[in-house]
Amino acid sequence: PQAVIDEVRARLHFSQDVPVVALSALRGDGFGPFLDLLDLLAEESSREFATSALNAALEEAVRQRSPSGRHKLPRLYYITQTGIYPPSFLVFTNGASIDAHYRRFLGRRLRQSLGLQWSPVALRFRQRP
C-alpha cells in the first residue's frame, strides 16, 4: 500500500499538500481514516478567521519573504476573508503584479500560520482603493 501511495504522490507532485488515503472496496480497509479525514477537511474548510489574525499571518509571511516585481515593487497592505469552502481571502495591494511563485508561497504560509493542514486556500489580489 505505501508503494501505491508513493506512486500517487510522485504523479501528483504539483499538489503535495493533498491528503492520500488508501482504500480497499474488496476488504473494506481504510474507510474509517477516510471518513475521519473528510470530517477534518470539512471543519478546516469552514473556519473563519479574525482580520487581525489574517493580517498578522500576512505580515509574518512578508517579513519572511518580500514579494518582488519586474516594473513596480508589490506591496501587500492587508487581507480579509471573503468566504469558506475553501477559506477564501482577498489581499489588498498597490496594484503591482504578484508572480505565481509568490502566490504559492503566500498560500502555503497562510495555511501554516492559520493551522490549515489539509484545506486549500483561495487567494485573490486587488488594488487598494
Side-chain angles (χ1 to χ4, degrees), residues 57-69 74-76 91 93 97-110 123 125:
L58 179 65
E59 288 175 20
E60 180 59 32
V62 170
R63 241 191 324 271
Q64 184 180 10
R65 183 171 144 197
S66 296
S68 59
R75 296 222 24 203
L76 309 181
V91 180
T93 72
S97 177
I98 310 290
D99 68 41
H101 294 288
Y102 195 80
R103 288 172 185 255
R104 284 191 299 275
F105 162 78
L106 186 57
R108 283 191 311 270
R109 290 297 300 147
L110 287 173
L123 285 177
F125 297 84

Side-chain angles (χ1 to χ4, degrees), residues 2-124:
Q2 187 59 45
V4 174
I5 291 173
D6 292 342
E7 175 67 21
V8 168
R9 289 219 177 273
R11 288 180 184 234
L12 298 175
H13 60 88
F14 52 86
S15 58
Q16 290 297 310
D17 297 327
V18 174
V20 177
V21 178
L23 299 174
S24 171
L26 292 175
R27 295 187 313 269
D29 294 343
F31 283 94
F34 176 69
L35 294 175
D36 292 343
L37 182 60
L38 285 180
D39 287 341
L40 176 64
L41 285 170
E43 177 189 327
E44 281 190 6
S45 294
S46 66
R47 288 182 57 195
E48 295 185 28
F49 300 94
T51 302
S52 59
L54 294 173
N55 283 314
L58 179 65
E59 288 175 20
E60 180 59 32
V62 170
R63 241 191 324 271
Q64 184 180 10
R65 183 171 144 197
S66 296
S68 59
R70 285 188 171 176
H71 305 292
K72 183 177 180 182
L73 187 63
R75 296 222 24 203
L76 309 181
Y77 295 114
Y78 59 95
I79 184 172
T80 187
Q81 186 167 6
T82 57
I84 56 174
Y85 297 114
S88 304
F89 306 104
L90 179 60
V91 180
F92 288 89
T93 72
N94 63 348
S97 177
I98 310 290
D99 68 41
H101 294 288
Y102 195 80
R103 288 172 185 255
R104 284 191 299 275
F105 162 78
L106 186 57
R108 283 191 311 270
R109 290 297 300 147
L110 287 173
R111 285 182 53 236
Q112 289 173 346
S113 296
L114 301 173
L116 299 172
Q117 181 179 3
W118 300 113
S119 178
V121 296
L123 285 177
R124 291 181 319 158

